[in-house]
Amino acid sequence: MSSLSTSPSSALAPYGWDDAWADAFAPHDAEGLLPGRVIRVDRGQCDVVTADGTLRADTAFVTPHDPLRVVCTGDWVAVDPGGNPRYVRAYLPRRTAFVRSTSSKRSEGQVLAANVDHAVVAVSLAVELELARIERFLALAWESGAQPVVVLTKADLVPDAATRAHLVQDVETSAPGVPVLTVSAQDGEGLEVLTAIVAGGTSVLLGQSGAGKSTLANALLGEDVMDVRATRDVDGKGRHTTTTRNLLTLPGGGVLIDTPGLRGVGLWDAGNGVGQVFAEIEELAGDCRFHDCAHGSEPGCAVLDAVETGELPQRRLDSYRKLLRENQYIVAKTDARLRAEIRRDWKRKNAIGRAALRAKQQGHPR
């Protein structure tokens, strides 16, 4: 066991420090730097929890041109042992990273949280479910490397068991392989199960404004740490009560990163994540006649056959297509060779589609 695991371990273990992090930090330890975890970032500075307490440090020394490599909440970093100001000198390689695309015309990615084990997607039952938005969050969560969990909040507002079961089933259909929990922070329903899940590592809390994230965070923390404001009755949405990403230790173990309400969750190179969200479509695609079938009008398409028989909802296929197109567009904007491949592929598939249409018009089966 390294010396680091016996030195800062008692102070940093509640934040997720382990022998693997200690080994990764060894070169920085040899330089006399302090290990710590970033618990908050704002305006080029960050709060870092260390064995010496929580320090304020400047991130300018490690801020690169690549926005995906800036210091973010959840990073393990190497900090100056003294000085004014202190600087973050490096951050350790991330095990996972939750990344979305920004609204910037330069097609940049933004890291929302690093080294996350569970991505908790909060969805309010007080308003109509937006299944496509849930699928979008889940695609980013899977791509990050974290295990997604969907939490349907404000369950007390849906007292009818049959109605609630129907809503849960709708979400489960849209979230294969993902636990779906109903929780009421108001009366404590479902909190015990969620607490057990988040106790095992680092969790990030995601969702739109008004989803009840701050109320849920307070329930998990056992105290009113996060500011809570009432949502609008007209649409169930609320104002941002969390303005920065904050990492907090949970009384039952584990740490929680609370995030501001996300109005936009654009994909960022999330092809694998999209595939996991729509696992049943990817499985069906294995039986298509063409290995690169676009599931549009190609002959012998097993996915279209599943839609016709009712095995696959049309809404799922539409959502799958939309997220694939969006992700491909984002990736292509930064890859000229891929853009050329997409154009060639588009022309080829158009030709196949036209041939299939002619065959259908002539009375031949697809």
Side-chain angles (χ1 to χ4, degrees):
M1 182 179 296
S2 76
S3 60
L4 278 171
S5 63
T6 59
S7 169
S9 62
S10 58
L12 296 180
Y15 291 88
W17 182 261
D18 57 28
D19 287 347
W21 287 122
D23 291 340
F25 191 82
H28 304 295
D29 181 49
E31 297 175 2
L33 300 175
L34 291 175
R37 193 165 196 190
V38 177
I39 60 175
R40 176 188 171 101
V41 178
D42 61 273
R43 290 187 286 275
Q45 293 190 312
C46 62
D47 294 335
V48 183
V49 62
T50 72
D52 293 343
T54 301
L55 311 175
R56 187 72 169 168
D58 197 305
T59 64
F61 189 83
V62 293
T63 298
H65 295 297
D66 183 355
L68 293 177
R69 297 176 60 194
V70 300
V71 172
C72 74
T73 304
D75 272 327
W76 285 100
V77 297
V79 188
D80 287 330
N84 187 20
R86 294 176 187 263
Y87 286 95
V88 173
R89 295 294 174 176
Y91 66 81
L92 301 186
R94 294 162 176 160
R95 294 177 182 175
T96 63
F98 192 95
V99 183
R100 68 167 177 177
S101 67
T102 67
S103 57
S104 168
K105 294 181 179 179
R106 292 178 294 179
S107 301
E108 295 179 336
Q110 177 189 21
V111 184
L112 298 182
N115 303 312
V116 171
D117 300 294
H118 297 99
V120 180
V121 180
V123 180
S124 172
L125 286 176
V127 295
E128 185 177 354
L129 291 176
E130 294 184 62
L131 298 177
R133 181 172 288 274
I134 295 173
E135 289 161 348
R136 179 179 291 272
F137 270 108
L138 292 177
L140 291 173
W142 279 123
E143 191 67 35
S144 75
Q147 166 66 52
V149 180
V150 176
V151 175
L152 302 178
T153 65
K154 308 181 184 182
D156 52 289
L157 300 181
V158 187
D160 181 68
T163 301
R164 190 187 299 184
H166 177 72
L167 294 172
V168 170
Q169 185 178 29
D170 282 348
V171 176
E172 287 177 337
T173 300
S174 302
V178 177
V180 179
L181 310 177
T182 55
V183 171
S184 170
Q186 189 73 24
D187 56 28
E189 177 189 348
L191 281 175
E192 186 175 343
V193 176
L194 180 58
T195 298
I197 291 175
V198 299
T202 299
S203 300
V204 60
L205 190 53
L206 306 157
Q208 289 181 281
S209 297
K213 297 191 310 303
S214 294
T215 301
L216 184 60
N218 285 337
L220 291 170
L221 291 163
E223 55 182 320
D224 292 339
V225 174
M226 312 308 297
D227 182 27
V228 178
R229 298 177 189 173
T231 57
R232 300 192 297 255
D233 291 335
V234 64
D235 57 9
K237 296 180 180 179
R239 292 174 293 172
H240 295 306
T241 53
T242 303
T243 56
T244 58
R245 286 170 281 280
N246 303 283
L247 187 149
L248 304 158
T249 57
L250 296 169
V255 295
L256 180 71
I257 299 176
D258 191 24
T259 65
L262 300 174
R263 292 191 180 92
V265 278
L267 300 186
W268 177 261
D269 198 5
N272 291 331
V274 172
Q276 286 184 272
V277 174
F278 299 93
E280 80 278 30
I281 297 180
E282 299 266 307
E283 184 176 353
L284 285 167
D287 294 326
C288 290
R289 183 182 302 177
F290 299 104
H291 75 278
D292 56 352
C293 182
H295 322 306
S297 57
E298 294 88 344
C301 176
V303 174
L304 293 179
D305 287 342
V307 172
E308 289 180 5
T309 61
E311 178 186 352
L312 176 68
Q314 181 67 49
R315 189 207 66 79
R316 284 281 285 171
L317 179 56
D318 292 342
S319 184
Y320 175 66
R321 287 169 172 164
K322 180 178 181 180
L323 292 183
L324 277 184
R325 284 196 303 269
E326 178 183 328
N327 189 67
Q328 193 175 52
Y329 172 75
I330 288 294
V331 175
K333 285 182 74 173
T334 58
D335 190 329
R337 185 173 61 179
L338 180 59
R339 286 198 298 273
E341 291 177 359
I342 290 172
R343 282 194 294 270
R344 288 194 298 269
D345 192 49
W346 178 80
K347 291 179 180 178
R348 184 185 61 79
K349 287 177 177 175
N350 264 0
I352 293 174
R354 286 194 298 271
L357 180 60
R358 286 195 298 269
K360 188 174 183 180
Q361 289 172 340
Q362 294 169 5
H364 297 297
R366 177 164 58 82

